[in-house]
Amino acid sequence: MTQLPAPRPAWEARPVTPDAAIVTAQTYTVRSGDTLAAIADRTGASADAIARANALLPPYVVVAGQTLSIPGGRYHRVHPGETGIAIARAYGVPWSQVVAANDLVEPFILRAGQRILIPGVPDRTSSAAERAAAFRLDVDSILTGGEPAVAANQPAVTPTPAPRPTPGAPKPPPRALPATTPVIAPAAAPGRFIWPVSGQVVRRFGAGASGERSDGIKIAVPLNTPVKSIADGTVAYAGDGIAALGGLVIIRHGGGWTSVYGHAAKLLVRRGDPVTRGQTIALSGATGYADRPELHFELRRGRTPVDPTAQLPRR
């Protein structure tokens, strides 16, 4: 499989040191002048965790003499450029459990200085390699933990279009986005979807005869068939980090939609590239666990896989 030159994924570009602070469950009496952020700094816990434990609502006002419960646990302080995936790998825990423990929501972009609770009991006998091996990369972890942390007041960026070509010259590709720069999905709704390829659906969405569930469909196509983006969007991932899916492109669309294209033989886009509906993003293949040339295609609304055939035009 080949692809455009691109930096390593953000979770490989910025390693994480598992240096979480251990906080003992306790109570704290609010002092004059205290803020929730100051209390979090003083105790080592997460401001969000303290707010949840005490049913505090924005703007999180606390008053002198108020008694707060400080939830205990391991709290990792996020550094610039760190991703949820890299943090989960460093501690050897599923990122989905970190998402649940911290009540993280869209767009799942971490902030430098933010403290996040690491669930589970630390295993001080495991090596860094063993902890990394315990982590499993999947589509959901890329969508929720693949973007690098930004400075407290730094917004995520929209895709950078390619520079205008010189008249008569070939159109240049979009600029490669640094791995430490997060991107956001388009704001506009995607409109009608199109089929990514034309071929026979050989695996349906949902549970199969063996009971194994498929989060998408598989479409049989000849080798090197152009794979099209089903709508305008932004490339969230292009690579082969998920062994089962081989060459993989993930595109974020407006309205909370995400499309997933696997088993590609060649990738033609990079993370951060803006794409248009019908644009060729890859060539089909039999990479990953495919046993023939085919496209693995998923469609998600938020984090939930939906049946693509119910959203695509009838054929």
Side-chain angles (χ1 to χ4, degrees), residues 24-287:
T24 303
Q26 59 193 277
T27 58
Y28 178 89
T29 302
V30 178
R31 308 173 189 176
S32 178
D34 268 347
T35 63
L36 186 61
I39 295 169
D41 287 340
R42 189 168 290 127
T43 62
S46 157
D48 292 333
I50 297 172
R52 288 195 301 273
N54 294 276
L56 301 178
L57 300 176
Y60 306 117
V61 175
V62 293
V63 296
Q66 181 179 1
T67 300
L68 298 176
S69 296
I70 308 299
R74 294 184 292 171
Y75 289 91
H76 175 85
R77 188 179 182 92
V78 178
H79 298 282
E82 291 184 349
T83 66
I85 290 173
I87 292 170
R89 277 181 166 171
Y91 290 97
V93 300
W95 172 242
S96 60
Q97 292 184 13
V98 181
V99 170
N102 293 272
D103 200 22
L104 301 180
V105 296
E106 286 282 356
F108 300 105
I109 294 178
L110 301 175
R111 298 284 173 180
Q114 176 182 359
R115 293 183 181 86
I116 57 175
L117 178 64
I118 307 298
V121 178
D123 182 358
R124 303 190 183 281
T125 64
S126 63
S127 67
E130 289 170 333
R131 291 194 298 272
F135 176 83
R136 177 175 171 269
L137 186 68
D138 57 23
V139 171
D140 186 69
S141 61
I142 292 176
L143 292 175
T144 59
E147 296 295 343
V150 298
N153 297 316
Q154 175 189 348
V157 300
T158 53
T160 302
R164 289 183 176 274
T166 303
K171 181 181 178 181
R175 299 184 182 95
L177 190 73
T180 52
T181 302
V183 295
I184 56 175
R192 290 187 61 196
F193 297 127
I194 63 171
W195 281 81
V197 293
S198 179
Q200 181 184 1
V201 176
V202 293
R203 175 69 188 273
R204 297 285 177 180
F205 175 85
S210 62
E212 182 181 356
R213 178 179 174 80
S214 174
D215 287 336
I217 60 176
K218 293 190 185 293
I219 308 170
V221 289
L223 188 66
N224 291 326
T225 297
V227 178
K228 311 286 188 179
S229 174
I230 64 167
D232 294 355
T234 305
V235 178
Y237 178 78
D240 57 358
I242 301 179
L245 295 180
L248 175 67
V249 177
I250 301 175
I251 299 177
R252 292 185 185 274
H253 309 284
W257 290 98
T258 300
S259 54
V260 180
Y261 313 76
H263 301 320
K266 185 175 184 179
L267 306 180
L268 303 176
V269 291
R270 298 170 293 199
R271 174 183 174 271
D273 283 354
V275 296
T276 57
R277 185 174 70 163
Q279 177 179 336
T280 299
I281 57 173
L283 299 181
S284 65
T287 58

